[in-house]
C-alpha cells in the first residue's frame, strides 16, 4: 500500500489537521517528520493512504489549515516530494 | 473556612480538575518534543486544552496561546501593540498587570472613564480618548469593584477608529460571555486559575494577530531557524508547557461548557445581591451599582486590613487593601483607605453569605 506524508509548519496545525481528517472519516496518523523531509529541523506530519490524499488536502485547504509539503512513499519505501 | 476570595483564585475546583492534573503528571512527557507515546499524549493533552478554549471563546485552536498567567498574556499583548511613547487609552479600573507594563514601556497613558458603574461616562470618555490613540487596553470587569465595563461597545469603537485593542478578561472569563470573534480584539488575556477553574501557573492569550514573542527558545519545531516561528501558537510559547496545568484547565473549561457560564452568573448574582443588601443594612459603605459582577468592595469603621483580619479569625476568607489596582481605587476615591473585597464563585451558597454577614455584623459601621 502506498502512503503520503503531509508535513506542517507547527504541531498545532498538524493536530488540527489530524482532528479534522479523522472527524471527516479519513484514516491518518500523526507522527514526527523524518529529518530529511524537514529542512528547518523537527516537525510533525500526517501519514495517509494514497487513495485519500486528494480529498484530504482539499479539505485541509478548505478549512484553511496550512500544509508545508506532501511526500509520496512508493512501493519500495522511497519517499519523494510531490507538488501540492 | 468560608472562601470569598474568588477574585484572587478559584480555590475550589470541580473534582475532574484535580484528577486531570495527576493523570497528566503520570502519563505525559514533553508536548511537541517527540514521537513516542508519552510525548504524543502530552501533545494531545495540550491540544485538547486549545480546542476546549477555542469552543468556549469562539476562535480557532491555533489562536489559543497558553501562558503562565493572565499577566504573562497581557505582557505579550502589550509588548506586541505598544511602542515606547505610544499613546494608549485605558479605563480607570485597570490592574497593575496592565498599568505596570505600559509604564515600563514609557507609553503615553490616557485614562478614560473613572465613574463606577456608569456606562455612559465610560463610553463618552473612552470615545473621546481614542482620537489619536495607537492602542487601547481595558478590563472586562474591575477586580476591585466588580464593575462590568461595556466592552462590546468599547470594542466596536476601537474597530470603527481602527485602534488595535487588548481585553483583560481576568475577572470575567468563566462567568461572562467572551466572544473573541464578535469582539474583533487583537488580544484577549485571561488566567486559568480563576473563573476557568484551572490551576495557578496557567493562562490563555487569544490572539487576533501573530504578536511579538516575550520569551525566546525551543518550540519543538523548525529548530534550525534561529528566529521564533511565524506560526501561532508556537511563536509565543517558547519552553516546556505546564501540561498537568493545561490538562486540569481543560476540565475546568469542560465544566463551564456543561454547566453554562450564564447559569453560574445568575447563581452568583443572587448571592451578590443578598450580600450587598446585608452589608448596606449593617451600615457599611458599599460600592454597588448596575453592571456588577460577583465582586463587591466595602468600607467599615475600621482599617480594611484589620477588618479582613477579624473576618479571617471567624473563618471568612476575603481580601483587603488595594488589590494590585491603585488606579481603580483612585477612580473610586479609596486610594487612601483601600477596601475589603468579597468575591463570590461558582460554588458560593446563600448559607455562606449568611455566615459571612453574621461575621461582618461584628465590625464597626462607618462613622
Amino acid at each position: 500500500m502506498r502512503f503520503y506524508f503531509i508535513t506542517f509548519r507547527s504541531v498545532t496545525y498538524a493536530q488540527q489537521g489530524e482532528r479534522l481528517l479523522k472527524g471527516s472519516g479519513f484514516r491518518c496518523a500523526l507522527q514526527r517528520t523524518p529529518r530529511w523531509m524537514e529542512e528547518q529541523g523537527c516537525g510533525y506530519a500526517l501519514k495517509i493512504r494514497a487513495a485519500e490524499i486528494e480529498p484530504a488536502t482539499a479539505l485541509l485547504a478548505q478549512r484553511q489549515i496550512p500544509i508545508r509539503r506532501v511526500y509520496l512513499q512508493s512501493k519500495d519505501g522511497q519517499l519523494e516530494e510531490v507538488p501540492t | 473556612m468560608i472562601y470569598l476570595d474568588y477574585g484572587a483564585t478559584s480555590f475550589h475546583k470541580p473534582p475532574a480538575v484535580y484528577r486531570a492534573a495527576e493523570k497528566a503528571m503520570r502519563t505525559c512527557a514533553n508536548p511537541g518534543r517527540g514521537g513516542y507515546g508519552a510525548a504524543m499524549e502530552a501533545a494531545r493533552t495540550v491540544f485538547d486544552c486549545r480546542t476546549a478554549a477555542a469552543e468556549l471563546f469562539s476562535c480557532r485552536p491555533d489562536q489559543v496561546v497558553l501562558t503562565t498567567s493572565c499577566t504573562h498574556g497581557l505582557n505579550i499583548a502589550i509588548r506586541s501593540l505598544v511602542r515606547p511613547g505610544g499613546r494608549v487609552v485605558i479605563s480607570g479600573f485597570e490592574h497593575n498587570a496592565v498599568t505596570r507594563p505600559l509604564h515600563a514601556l514609557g507609553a503615553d497613558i490616557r485614562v478614560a472613564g473613572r465613574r463606577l458603574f456608569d456606562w455612559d461616562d465610560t463610553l463618552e470618555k473612552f470615545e473621546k480618548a481614542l482620537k489619536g490613540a495607537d492602542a487601547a487596553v481595558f478590563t472586562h470587569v474591575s477586580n476591585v469593584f466588580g464593575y462590568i465595563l461595556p466592552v462590546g461597545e468599547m470594542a466596536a469603537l476601537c474597530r470603527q477608529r481602527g485602534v488595535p485593542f487588548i481585553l483583560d478578561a481576568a475577572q470575567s472569563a468563566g462567568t461572562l460571555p467572551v466572544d473573541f470573534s464578535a469582539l474583533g480584539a487583537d488580544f484577549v488575556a485571561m488566567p486559568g486559575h480563576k473563573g476557568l477553574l484551572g490551576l495557578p501557573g496557567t493562562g490563555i492569550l487569544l490572539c487576533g494577530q501573530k504578536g511579538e514573542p516575550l520569551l525566546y527558545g525551543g518550540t519543538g519545531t523548525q529548530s534550525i531557524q534561529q528566529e521564533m516561528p511565524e506560526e501561532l501558537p508556537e511563536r509565543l510559547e517558547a519552553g516546556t508547557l505546564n501540561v498537568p496545568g493545561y490538562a486540569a484547565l481543560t476540565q475546568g473549561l469542560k465544566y463551564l461548557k456543561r454547566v453554562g457560564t450564564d447559569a453560574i452568573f445568575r447563581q452568583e448574582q443572587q448571592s451578590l445581591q443578598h450580600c450587598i443588601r446585608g452589608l448596606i443594612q449593617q451600615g457599611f459603605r458599599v460600592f454597588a451599582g448596575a453592571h456588577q459582577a460577583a465582586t463587591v468592595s466595602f468600607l467599615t469603621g475600621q482599617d480594611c486590613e484589620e477588618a479582613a483580619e477579624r473576618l479571617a479569625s471567624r473563618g471568612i476568607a476575603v481580601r483587603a487593601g488595594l488589590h494590585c489596582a491603585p488606579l481603580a481605587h483612585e477612580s473610586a476615591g479609596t486610594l487612601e483607605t483601600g477596601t475589603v473585597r468579597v468575591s463570590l464563585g461558582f460554588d458560593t451558597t446563600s448559607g455562606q453569605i449568611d455566615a459571612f454577614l453574621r461575621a461582618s455584623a461584628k465590625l464597626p459601621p462607618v462613622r
Side-chain angles (χ1 to χ4, degrees):
Chain A
M1 186 175 290
R2 294 195 309 165
F3 289 94
Y4 280 84
F5 290 84
I6 306 169
T7 68
F8 297 83
R9 289 183 65 88
S10 89
V11 64
T12 307
Y13 287 156
Q15 289 175 304
Q16 283 180 274
E18 180 192 27
R19 291 275 167 98
L20 173 65
L21 294 180
K22 284 184 172 173
S24 303
F26 292 91
R27 280 191 288 178
C28 60
L30 180 63
Q31 62 177 64
R32 291 282 282 185
T33 308
R35 176 68 191 91
W36 68 268
M37 274 189 202
E38 185 50 79
E39 73 219 25
Q40 292 294 334
C42 306
Y44 286 81
L46 285 177
K47 183 179 181 182
I48 189 164
R49 290 188 307 170
E52 296 184 314
I53 186 65
E54 283 190 20
T57 51
L59 183 58
L60 291 168
Q62 183 192 336
R63 298 296 179 88
Q64 297 181 318
I65 297 175
I67 65 176
R68 187 169 168 80
R69 293 203 168 91
V70 176
Y71 295 87
L72 170 64
Q73 185 179 41
S74 59
K75 286 178 181 172
D76 61 3
Q78 296 297 308
L79 285 154
E80 63 173 317
E81 185 178 350
V82 295
T84 56
Chain B
M1 174 178 67
I2 292 174
Y3 186 76
L4 299 174
D5 196 19
Y6 276 87
T9 193
S10 51
F11 185 57
H12 306 140
K13 318 287 184 187
V17 170
Y18 301 95
R19 289 197 298 268
E22 182 175 355
K23 183 185 174 197
M25 289 180 74
R26 295 184 185 284
T27 59
C28 293
N30 202 330
R33 303 298 199 272
Y36 54 91
M40 296 302 275
E41 177 63 17
R44 271 192 295 275
T45 299
V46 167
F47 189 66
D48 283 345
C49 186
R50 297 192 206 283
T51 304
E55 284 177 13
L56 196 61
F57 302 117
S58 305
C59 63
R60 300 189 312 271
D62 58 280
Q63 292 179 295
V64 178
V65 166
L66 300 174
T67 61
T68 60
S69 64
C70 187
T71 299
H72 179 197
L74 285 168
N75 271 264
I76 294 172
I78 287 169
R79 291 268 169 179
S80 298
L81 291 189
V82 180
R83 297 286 166 265
R87 185 183 295 183
V88 182
V89 181
I90 64 173
S91 85
F93 299 94
E94 300 306 316
H95 189 277
N96 276 347
V98 167
T99 57
R100 281 181 170 170
L102 290 173
H103 180 78
L105 274 169
D108 174 8
I109 303 169
R110 305 294 170 99
V111 181
R114 309 199 69 164
R115 291 174 60 171
L116 261 178
F117 308 117
D118 187 338
W119 278 17
D120 290 340
D121 176 71
T122 300
L123 288 170
E124 182 192 334
K125 303 289 175 20
F126 186 75
E127 184 172 17
K128 281 183 185 165
L130 277 182
K131 191 175 180 183
D134 297 311
V137 191
F138 45 91
T139 190
H140 196 167
V141 172
S142 162
N143 70 307
V144 182
F145 300 103
Y147 173 32
I148 303 170
L149 277 73
V151 295
E153 291 83 348
M154 294 166 82
L157 288 170
C158 289
R159 291 197 306 270
Q160 286 164 16
R161 302 291 172 86
V163 177
F165 69 97
I166 300 162
L167 177 67
D168 175 1
Q171 299 291 328
S172 60
T175 52
L176 288 169
V178 178
D179 187 325
F180 186 69
S181 298
L183 285 168
D186 290 79
F187 297 99
V188 176
M190 58 188 74
H193 67 101
K194 294 186 181 181
L196 300 185
L197 306 174
L199 304 190
T202 61
I204 287 172
L205 180 66
L206 307 177
C207 299
Q209 56 157 280
K210 67 179 183 180
E212 292 300 319
L214 191 64
L215 292 174
Y216 295 79
T219 56
T221 53
Q222 303 178 54
S223 300
I224 288 176
Q225 181 179 307
Q226 286 305 289
E227 294 78 31
M228 290 296 284
E230 290 293 310
E231 292 77 20
L232 288 175
E234 286 82 358
R235 178 175 175 76
L236 303 178
E237 290 182 350
T240 297
L241 293 171
N242 174 3
V243 180
Y246 299 122
L249 179 54
T250 303
Q251 294 306 316
L253 292 164
K254 287 183 174 177
Y255 176 88
L256 294 170
K257 178 105 178 162
R258 190 169 67 251
V259 173
T261 53
D262 288 354
I264 292 172
F265 182 77
R266 281 196 302 274
Q267 178 190 315
E268 288 179 352
Q269 283 294 309
Q270 285 181 356
S271 295
L272 176 76
Q273 295 309 321
H274 176 32
C275 182
I276 288 171
R277 281 193 301 273
L279 289 170
I280 290 171
Q281 285 168 5
Q282 290 173 355
F284 303 129
R285 183 181 174 202
V286 182
F287 295 85
H291 318 298
Q292 187 164 10
T295 291
V296 59
S297 266
F298 67 101
L299 289 169
T300 71
Q302 189 173 22
D303 175 85
C304 67
E305 295 285 2
E306 291 172 1
E309 188 64 32
R310 284 180 65 181
L311 290 170
S313 73
R314 292 177 167 83
I316 309 290
V318 296
R319 182 172 171 187
L322 296 181
H323 314 92
C324 300
L327 180 65
H329 281 283
E330 191 180 88
S331 295
T334 52
L335 189 60
E336 298 300 319
T337 59
T339 57
V340 180
R341 182 188 74 176
V342 177
S343 50
L344 317 182
F346 75 107
D347 64 347
T348 304
T349 64
S350 60
Q352 289 177 319
I353 299 300
D354 289 336
F356 160 69
L357 290 170
R358 283 195 294 276
S360 63
K362 310 285 185 190
L363 299 172
V366 286
R367 287 183 285 273

